[in-house]
Amino acid sequence: MLNLRYYSQNTITIMDKSKLGLPVGTTLDRFIKRNQDDFSYATGELSQLLRDIALAAKIVNREINKAGLLNIAGAFGSTNIQGEEQQKLDVIADIRFIRALKNGGEVCGIISEEEEKIIDVGNNYGKYVVAIDPLDGSSNVDVNVSIGTIFSIYRRLSPVGAPVQNEDVMQSGNEQVAAGYVLYGASTMLVYTTGHGVVGFTYEPSLGEFFLSHNHMKIPENGSIYSVNEGNFNEFPEKIKEYINTCKEKKYTARYIGSLVADFHRNLLKGGIYLYPPTQKNQDGKLRLLYECNALAFLVEQAGGVAIDGKGNRILDIKPYEYHQRAALYIGSKNMIKDLQKYLELNTVMAD
Ligand code: P6P
């Protein structure tokens, strides 16, 4: 890496060009190796699984960046288990992440937003299972808005050597051993936690590497940004309406991209609250517990924030009963969630 050397008085001040926005610091691979000791039980499998996810992210990033040029944007002409029209990139991302996880050999099963049932990848000796939304917010890709991948990693409960079982994927969010997201935005970032804080890596496509750019990410305890689809306002529970009105009275800033990872990432960096309350169309909320809410809840708590469902539950405490179940989600700065809870009149067990 070219360093600019500035000579002043008798000292040499080495101004690393990285401060001008070029890739900086530790590569993802070296970071994972250096922190492998964090996983006392693992002998490298989880490290390899994180690398497998990063590889798929690089490939999906390349496909997304081509979307404008090649005919891969737009609808695929099919619908997924959710009954949602599948965008071509949804399908491509699903295929890419499943292939990377299957070939990586560390995973015995996958739950994906794009697939109805557990995907048994045929690797009975894989110690882990993954719940993933391969490309969340993909309807935004045609209008060039940031989109994301969201993933959760669990240790399997069934015996190693047997096929993946239902119990392996029906674990509460508290059991996650790692979780994260990829944000395909102005720059592509991989943000994840293994329960030892939150770290962010920025992708340098010219080098094909993720570089550590955000260490020890913490969400500000207070914030003045609220993210909610106000088009649904009239359908919200009365207490939520009251809370949103106080945000306006306090002259908070409304920011809603309609892409969960992008909204979450901004609030993580700047402080804020994201709300997806129940609506007439989605009376349990729209977002999916297993492969959207749990990962972000793990991340936000590791960053000092809070994630609840508005019914008195920490998101991470919810015991799932089906793969694609939905949950209302209120997630963000600790004190903003505390304010919300005054309206919900609930004393959810808060993260300590
Ligand atoms: P609405 C995208 O479909 C998504 O799952 C999230 O990325 C996003 O935050 C939310 O739904 C947007 O939903 O109902 O406001 O368009």
Side-chain angles (χ1 to χ4, degrees):
M1 181 184 306
L2 174 64
N3 287 331
L4 298 179
R5 291 175 182 268
Y6 298 102
Y7 294 83
S8 60
Q9 287 112 17
N10 297 320
T11 59
I12 294 176
T13 303
I14 296 181
M15 171 63 78
D16 185 325
K17 276 191 75 174
S18 61
K19 290 181 176 52
L20 307 180
L22 294 181
V24 66
T26 312
T27 64
L28 174 64
D29 198 59
R30 184 174 298 279
F31 183 91
I32 290 174
K33 279 199 189 88
R34 194 176 294 170
N35 291 278
Q36 186 151 294
D37 299 345
D38 288 346
F39 320 126
S40 51
Y41 52 83
T43 51
E45 294 95 337
L46 182 58
S47 301
Q48 185 51 49
L49 175 41
L50 288 169
R51 290 189 193 94
D52 296 339
I53 287 174
L55 171 62
K58 293 176 185 177
I59 296 169
V60 170
N61 180 67
R62 185 187 62 197
E63 304 288 354
I64 288 169
N65 290 339
K66 285 190 303 191
L69 304 175
L70 302 177
N71 181 28
I72 56 173
F76 189 67
S78 61
T79 57
N80 62 16
I81 166 65
Q82 329 292 344
E84 295 164 346
E85 189 176 59
Q86 280 185 304
Q87 302 294 320
K88 289 174 185 171
L89 280 169
D90 275 324
V91 176
I92 290 172
D94 191 43
I95 291 167
R96 291 296 188 181
F97 275 98
I98 291 171
R99 187 179 299 167
L101 293 171
K102 181 184 176 76
N103 295 343
E106 307 304 345
V107 164
C108 62
I110 301 168
I111 288 286
S112 167
E113 175 173 70
E114 305 303 326
E115 310 283 341
E116 183 175 354
K117 298 187 175 6
I118 300 179
I119 304 160
D120 181 341
V121 295
N123 174 19
N124 294 347
Y125 288 90
K127 288 183 180 175
Y128 297 96
V129 294
V130 171
I132 189 166
D133 185 350
L135 206 58
D136 178 78
S138 53
S139 56
N140 289 300
V141 75
D142 284 353
V143 294
N144 209 9
V145 165
S146 302
I147 51 183
T149 297
I150 309 171
F151 62 90
S152 291
I153 302 173
Y154 297 85
R155 268 198 304 280
R156 71 183 299 176
L157 300 177
S158 59
V160 174
V164 62
Q165 303 295 314
N166 194 56
E167 63 177 337
D168 294 323
V169 296
M170 300 308 278
Q171 301 183 56
S172 75
N174 285 319
E175 302 309 316
Q176 293 173 93
V177 293
Y181 58 81
V182 183
L183 176 58
Y184 309 97
S187 59
T188 292
M189 282 194 69
L190 168 63
V191 176
Y192 76 83
T193 181
T194 57
H196 301 272
V198 179
V199 286
F201 293 80
T202 299
Y203 185 54
E204 174 47 62
S206 66
L207 300 176
E209 284 281 7
F210 280 102
F211 288 88
L212 180 65
S213 53
H214 298 69
N215 214 337
H216 304 304
M217 297 176 81
K218 289 291 181 190
I219 185 170
E221 289 202 349
N222 300 296
S224 56
I225 294 172
Y226 70 102
S227 308
V228 65
N229 181 342
E230 296 208 46
N232 299 324
F233 184 84
N234 294 334
E235 300 177 31
F236 291 158
E238 287 308 312
K239 299 293 184 189
I240 301 298
K241 290 180 183 175
E242 286 175 36
Y243 173 75
I244 292 171
N245 285 331
T246 59
C247 290
K248 297 175 192 283
E249 288 155 14
K250 292 176 181 174
K251 300 203 179 308
Y252 283 177
T253 297
R255 285 285 182 275
Y256 191 72
I257 300 172
S259 186
L260 176 58
V261 173
D263 278 316
F264 178 84
H265 185 73
R266 180 204 50 246
N267 292 353
L268 176 65
L269 295 179
K270 297 191 170 193
I273 184 171
Y274 174 97
L275 308 93
Y276 209 105
T279 61
Q280 281 163 10
K281 181 183 176 190
N282 293 303
Q283 295 184 17
D284 289 329
K286 173 183 182 183
L287 301 176
R288 307 293 178 169
L289 177 64
L290 282 187
Y291 40 78
E292 290 172 337
C293 300
N294 274 340
L296 300 186
F298 189 17
L299 285 161
V300 86
E301 287 198 4
Q302 283 289 311
V306 176
I308 60 173
D309 69 351
K311 299 175 185 171
N313 302 303
R314 273 173 75 229
I315 291 290
L316 296 181
D317 289 335
I318 299 173
K319 180 76 174 113
Y321 54 84
E322 67 167 13
Y323 305 146
H324 301 289
Q325 80 185 60
R326 301 175 189 268
L329 179 66
Y330 308 97
I331 186 168
S333 295
K334 188 171 193 172
N335 293 337
M336 296 185 84
I337 300 286
K338 277 184 179 173
D339 286 347
L340 170 64
Q341 284 184 295
K342 291 172 191 157
Y343 290 86
L344 295 172
E345 295 159 0
L346 293 171
N347 294 311
T348 301
V349 174
M350 303 284 280
D352 49 28

